[in-house]
Amino acid sequence: MSGSSDDTRNCTATPPYLPPTAIDTTERLRILRHHMQSHNLSAYIIPATDAHMSEYIAERDKRLAWMTGFTGSSGTGVVTLQKAALFTDSRYWIQAERQMDCNWELQKSGWISAIGQWLVKEVPEGEKIGLDPYLFSIDNWDSYLQALDGSNRTLVALDDNLVDLVWGSQRPLPPTNTIYQLPDDFIGSTWQEKVSHIRTQMENHSGKPTAVLLSGLEETACKYLLRVSACLSILLIHSLVPHPSISCYSGTIKEGVRNSFLSITGLFNLRGDDIPYTPVFYAYTLLTKTSISLFVNQSRLSGDASQALAAGCPGPLCVTVVDYEAISESLRIYVQQDGVHIWIGTEYTTLALYREIPPVRDEKGRSCLLCGMTTTGGKMCLFLSHISNAIAVIRYLVWLEKMVPSGSVDEISGANFVNQLRREELFCHGPSFETISASGLNAALAHYSPSNTTSRKLTVDEMYLLDSGGQYLDGTTDITRTVQWGEPTALQKEAYTRVLMGNIDLSRLVFPPRTSGRMVEVLARRPLWEVGLNYGHGTGHGIGNFLSVHEWPVGFQSNNVPLDKGMFTSIEPGYYLEGEFGIRLEDVALVVEAQTKPYLTFEVVSLVPYARNLIDINLLSQEQIQYINSYYESIRKYIGPELQRRHLDEEYQWLQRNTQPLSRSSLLAASLGTLAMGTVASTLLPGA
C-alpha cells in the first residue's frame, strides 16, 4: 500500500506486523468459538447495528467493533470454528487493515450475497449458522435466507447474543440519561395530532390494520402542521430576509407532509441522548385505534415529558408507559386477540419481534410511508441551521489559514476546534456525527476519523478534507470541503475540479417529479468516469430535522424513494487516491420546483465557498462557471450580513475574497496559493 506500510498490518511477514492501532482478538475469538460449539454452531454472524437497526449505535451495542477492532460504521463479521472474516465496502478497507489483527481476513464486499457465498464455501453442508434475531431486520433475514437457499445450511436464531457472553461485565451499561421534551417553539403539531393522523392512515389502509408497531428510532412518516412562530423568531435573531424558496404566512403555515420516517422521538416530540450524534432514545411504540403504549424506562422521562404523555388520560390519547424489555411479551399478548393486523416496517422491525406476530396477521411493508414535501416553516428552520453551520465552518477555515503554516494544528485539534465553533452557534446541541478531519493520505479513507495513533499534522503541502455537521434545534447539517494551502499537483487540481463538476452537474439538474435518485446520480460521477476515476461510496443521503444526519429513505441508492418536492438530500461526489490524498465536496440540497413546472431541481442550502486554488477553470463549462458564480452570490447575500452583524471582520473579508466571481484572472490568482490570497487579490481583483 503506497505510503501506508507502517500503519497497516502485514500478515504475510514473519512474524506478522501489526500497527499500534490493531487490536489483539485471539482470546475473544477463542471464547466465542467455545460458545458456538456449546450451541452446535459452525458459524456466527455479527452485524454492526442495534435492536432498532440504527446507523449510529451506543457503545454497548458496538459488538462488531469489540470483536474485531474495526470501528467503521458499516460492516459484518462472520466467525467459523477455523476462520474469521470482516465484510465491508471500499470506504473502510484501509481502516480495516489498520485496526484488525491477523486473526481476521478482510472480504472486500458488504453485500449479503457475498457473505452467503463465503458461508457456503467455509461451512460444511448440514451445519448451522447462528445469529441474534434482535440484530436482524425482516429484510435482512430474508436476504440471508435467499443467499443460502438450496445450500443445506441452516440459519438459527439464538436466545443469547454470543458476543455479549464473551464481553461479559466489561460491556457498557444501558443509557440512563433523561428523555426530554422539545421546546414549544420547535414543535410542529402536537403528538396528539400526529397520533390522530396515523389512526386516519390506518382507517384508510386497504389492509385495515388494528395497530402500528414503531421499532426503528427513525421509522414511520406522519403529516403535521408547523407553526411559523419558531422560525420567525430565529429569522429575527439572524437579522436575515427569508430564503427565496420560503414563503411566510401569518398565523399557521400551510399544511404539508415531510417525506421521511418520523421517529418515535418525533412522534411524541421527545428527544434523548442514547446514541452519539443523534438525539433519540431507545423505545418502541405500539399504537392501536384505542390505546398507545410507549416502551421505555419510566424513570428516564423528565417531569415535563411524563406530564405531556399523560395529558390525555384516561382515553384513546393516553400514553401508557411500559418497560422497554416488555415489548416482545406485549406483542405476544396483543396478537392473541381475534382479528388483529399489525402494520410494521420490514426495514426496521427485527426478526425477534416479527416472530411474535403470526404471518397472517401482519402486513409487511414500511410503516406509514408518505411521500411529499416539507412544510414551508420546516424549510425555513432547516435553512437557518445551515446559516449557523456556514458561519462555524468559515470561521474554522479562516483560523486554519493562519495556524497551519506554523505547524500547530493536527487532525484531532482541528476537529475539536470546529466542533467548539459549532457549539457557540445558537441552538446547537453538538456535532451530528464524528467529525472527519483528514490530512494527506488519511483523507483517502472516505470515513476516516482521527485518533491519537493516526492523527497527522496539517501542512501547507497536503490536501485536507473536513466532513462535519451539527445538530441544531432548527435542523441537522452536514457539509464537506477539501482545501490545500500550498501548490496542488496537476492531478490533485484536476481531480478536485472533476469532483466539483459532478457536484454542480447533479445540483443543477432539472428532472420530472418522482424520479429515482439512482437514475440521476450518474451525473455526479460522469466527469470522473471520463478520465477513468470514480468513488466507492453513495452520492448522497437524506437529512433529518434535529434527528439523524443520515435519514432514510431519501437519497440516490436503489432502495431510496423517488425524489420529490420538499426533500432534503446531500450531494457528495469524491475521489480517493490510496496512500496520497482524498477529495470530497458535499452540499445539502432541497428539492424544489424548477422554472419549467411541474419539473423539479435542487437548491443548495450549504453556504461555504469551494477552494479557488484547486479549481482548473479550463475544465469547466460556461454553465458550470455561471452556476458557481450564482452560488457565490447567494453565499454573500445570506452569510455576509450575518458576519458583519457579529463583527467578524476578518471572516467577512475572507468571504468577499473567496466568493469573487470566477474568471481566468481570479483562478490565476488562486493558483498561486491561498496563503498569498490577500496580497494577490488586492492586486488583481477589484474591490478585494
Side-chain angles (χ1 to χ4, degrees):
M1 293 185 183
S2 173
S4 57
S5 59
D6 291 338
D7 59 8
T8 58
R9 64 180 183 169
N10 184 351
C11 296
T12 61
T14 305
Y17 170 74
L18 296 178
T21 49
I23 302 295
D24 183 357
T25 63
T26 303
E27 183 64 10
R28 297 173 187 181
L29 285 170
R30 185 191 68 78
I31 301 174
L32 177 63
R33 288 177 172 133
H34 170 76
H35 288 297
M36 290 167 55
Q37 290 174 321
S38 68
H39 286 78
N40 195 27
L41 300 175
S42 291
Y44 188 70
I45 305 174
I46 310 168
T49 190
D50 60 18
H52 301 271
M53 303 296 106
S54 305
E55 178 185 13
Y56 296 109
I57 55 180
E59 289 298 321
R60 67 182 273 102
D61 292 314
K62 294 182 178 180
R63 298 175 177 91
L64 180 65
W66 188 80
M67 278 302 306
T68 65
F70 169 71
T71 61
S73 62
S74 178
T76 302
V78 183
V79 179
T80 70
L81 297 177
Q82 293 81 32
K83 291 185 177 182
L86 172 74
F87 292 79
T88 191
D89 61 71
S90 61
R91 296 173 296 170
Y92 300 104
W93 292 346
I94 300 176
Q95 180 178 347
E97 297 287 4
R98 287 178 170 181
Q99 295 180 324
M100 295 195 304
D101 65 9
C102 293
N103 288 310
W104 293 83
E105 60 182 55
L106 175 61
Q107 294 290 322
K108 295 184 175 182
S109 173
W111 297 105
I112 291 177
S113 58
I115 299 174
Q117 292 171 7
W118 189 88
L119 283 167
V120 170
K121 177 183 176 183
E122 299 296 335
V123 175
E125 286 193 41
E127 296 297 304
K128 298 177 181 178
I129 301 164
L131 53 80
D132 181 347
Y134 280 96
L135 301 181
F136 287 79
S137 69
I138 300 169
D139 284 350
N140 283 340
W141 170 257
D142 288 344
S143 296
Y144 275 99
L145 289 178
Q146 183 177 354
L148 296 172
D149 184 41
S151 69
N152 195 23
R153 280 86 172 169
T154 305
L155 287 174
V156 179
L158 305 177
D159 293 332
D160 296 321
N161 185 292
L162 300 191
V163 174
D164 292 351
L165 296 181
V166 180
W167 209 343
S169 61
Q170 298 178 24
R171 187 182 176 213
L173 296 174
T176 59
N177 49 287
T178 300
I179 297 168
Y180 57 94
Q181 187 177 19
L182 273 178
D184 288 344
D185 283 347
F186 296 92
I187 291 175
S189 59
T190 67
W191 67 261
Q192 291 92 338
E193 291 170 325
K194 298 175 187 179
V195 167
S196 296
H197 179 75
I198 293 177
R199 284 173 171 162
T200 299
Q201 287 184 296
M202 293 166 62
E203 288 291 336
N204 295 335
H205 196 283
S206 59
K208 298 301 179 184
T210 60
V212 174
L213 173 65
L214 307 184
S215 54
L217 303 185
E218 287 130 25
E219 186 188 21
T220 225
C222 184
K223 185 180 289 186
Y224 61 89
L225 297 172
L226 182 62
R227 294 196 304 271
V228 73
S229 57
C231 294
L232 285 182
S233 65
I234 300 168
L235 198 64
L236 292 173
I237 292 170
H238 280 278
S239 300
L240 294 170
V241 296
H243 193 264
S245 292
I246 299 169
S247 301
C248 298
Y249 304 85
S250 59
T252 303
I253 291 297
K254 288 185 176 179
E255 186 181 65
V257 290
R258 184 163 179 269
N259 186 80
S260 69
F261 283 107
L262 179 70
S263 66
I264 296 168
T265 59
L267 174 62
F268 294 110
N269 295 328
L270 302 176
R271 295 294 188 270
D273 299 301
D274 291 3
I275 295 179
Y277 313 116
T278 308
V280 296
F281 57 91
Y282 287 122
Y284 299 96
T285 296
L286 183 63
L287 171 64
T288 75
K289 295 180 180 179
T290 59
S291 66
I292 310 166
S293 298
L294 174 62
F295 296 84
V296 70
N297 189 333
Q298 172 81 58
S299 64
R300 298 185 56 202
L301 294 169
S302 69
D304 289 343
S306 295
Q307 184 177 356
L309 295 175
C313 297
L317 290 174
C318 174
V319 178
T320 301
V321 178
V322 187
D323 187 75
Y324 175 81
E325 301 294 340
I327 179 62
S328 294
E329 180 183 358
S330 296
L331 279 175
R332 197 177 307 125
I333 293 172
Y334 178 73
V335 299
Q336 290 175 1
Q337 305 175 49
D338 292 332
V340 300
H341 302 265
I342 301 180
W343 196 353
I344 61 174
T346 58
E347 182 85 8
Y348 292 98
T349 305
T350 64
L351 173 64
L353 298 185
Y354 184 55
R355 291 187 304 177
E356 305 295 346
I357 306 171
V360 296
R361 297 182 182 176
D362 102 286
E363 175 168 332
K364 292 175 66 176
R366 307 199 186 282
S367 304
C368 306
L369 177 60
L370 285 177
C371 297
M373 58 181 178
T374 309
T375 58
T376 301
K379 298 175 192 176
M380 187 187 301
C381 285
L382 287 166
F383 175 69
L384 292 173
S385 71
H386 284 278
I387 291 178
S388 298
N389 199 65
I391 297 294
V393 174
I394 288 170
R395 291 179 65 192
Y396 179 62
L397 293 176
V398 172
W399 179 79
L400 286 178
E401 284 193 8
K402 294 185 294 183
M403 302 301 293
V404 167
S406 67
S408 57
V409 183
D410 62 25
E411 293 169 344
I412 291 179
S413 64
N416 290 339
F417 189 62
V418 74
N419 291 341
Q420 173 188 324
L421 291 173
R422 272 201 178 85
R423 287 189 177 93
E424 294 175 5
E425 292 298 313
L426 192 65
F427 306 131
C428 184
H429 277 232
S432 56
F433 57 95
E434 186 174 6
T435 296
I436 298 173
S437 171
S439 180
L441 60 88
N442 284 341
L445 285 72
H447 280 202
Y448 165 86
S449 292
S451 67
N452 290 331
T453 53
T454 64
S455 181
R456 295 168 56 88
K457 289 281 188 183
L458 275 59
T459 71
V460 297
D461 298 321
E462 290 189 324
M463 301 188 90
Y464 174 65
L465 186 154
L466 176 75
D467 186 348
S468 64
Q471 288 286 9
Y472 304 83
L473 287 178
D474 47 0
T476 301
T477 66
D478 186 2
I479 186 171
T480 307
R481 290 294 183 262
T482 305
V483 297
Q484 181 165 343
W485 301 276
E487 182 68 24
T489 66
L491 173 60
Q492 289 172 333
K493 195 166 184 176
E494 178 171 358
Y496 182 96
T497 305
R498 290 187 177 277
V499 170
L500 176 60
M501 291 162 65
N503 181 300
I504 294 170
D505 289 349
L506 183 52
S507 297
R508 60 189 295 269
L509 176 69
V510 176
F511 54 92
R514 309 288 298 163
T515 296
S516 168
R518 186 66 173 172
M519 292 178 59
V520 300
E521 71 107 33
V522 64
L523 293 177
R525 299 180 186 270
R526 184 174 62 181
L528 292 165
W529 286 359
E530 289 174 347
V531 291
L533 306 179
N534 200 4
Y535 53 93
H537 55 73
T539 296
H541 54 81
I543 304 290
N545 186 357
F546 194 39
L547 282 169
S548 176
V549 71
H550 295 158
E551 185 173 80
W552 194 90
V554 179
F556 297 94
Q557 302 300 313
S558 58
N559 64 340
N560 293 136
V561 297
L563 296 166
D564 217 339
K565 181 182 175 182
M567 295 180 177
F568 278 88
T569 181
S570 70
I571 296 175
E572 49 182 302
Y575 173 69
Y576 311 90
L577 182 59
E578 184 178 323
E580 295 193 28
F581 63 85
I583 298 165
R584 184 162 62 254
L585 296 174
E586 177 184 17
D587 293 310
V588 173
L590 170 66
V591 181
V592 298
E593 282 188 343
Q595 292 182 351
T596 53
K597 297 179 181 179
Y599 276 49
L600 304 174
T601 189
F602 295 105
E603 184 169 330
V604 172
V605 297
S606 301
L607 296 166
V608 177
Y610 307 114
R612 299 175 74 86
N613 67 318
L614 291 173
I615 299 174
D616 183 350
I617 197 170
N618 296 310
L619 294 176
L620 299 179
S621 68
Q622 189 59 40
E623 291 78 9
Q624 290 166 338
I625 293 174
Q626 290 174 351
Y627 174 90
I628 294 174
N629 289 340
S630 176
Y631 175 56
Y632 283 178
E633 287 179 7
S634 295
I635 294 177
R636 285 190 170 202
K637 179 178 180 179
Y638 296 112
I639 303 302
E642 181 66 4
L643 292 173
Q644 289 180 307
R645 187 186 69 83
R646 300 193 196 183
H647 304 292
L648 296 172
D649 297 333
E650 187 176 11
E651 288 79 3
Y652 178 76
Q653 292 302 322
W654 181 94
L655 183 74
Q656 293 298 103
R657 293 195 301 270
N658 285 277
T659 55
Q660 286 284 342
L662 290 192
S663 65
R664 296 192 184 278
S665 60
S666 66
L667 269 295
L668 173 63
S671 69
L672 300 178
T674 58
L675 293 178
M677 177 58 75
T679 302
V680 175
S682 64
T683 303
L684 298 179
L685 302 177

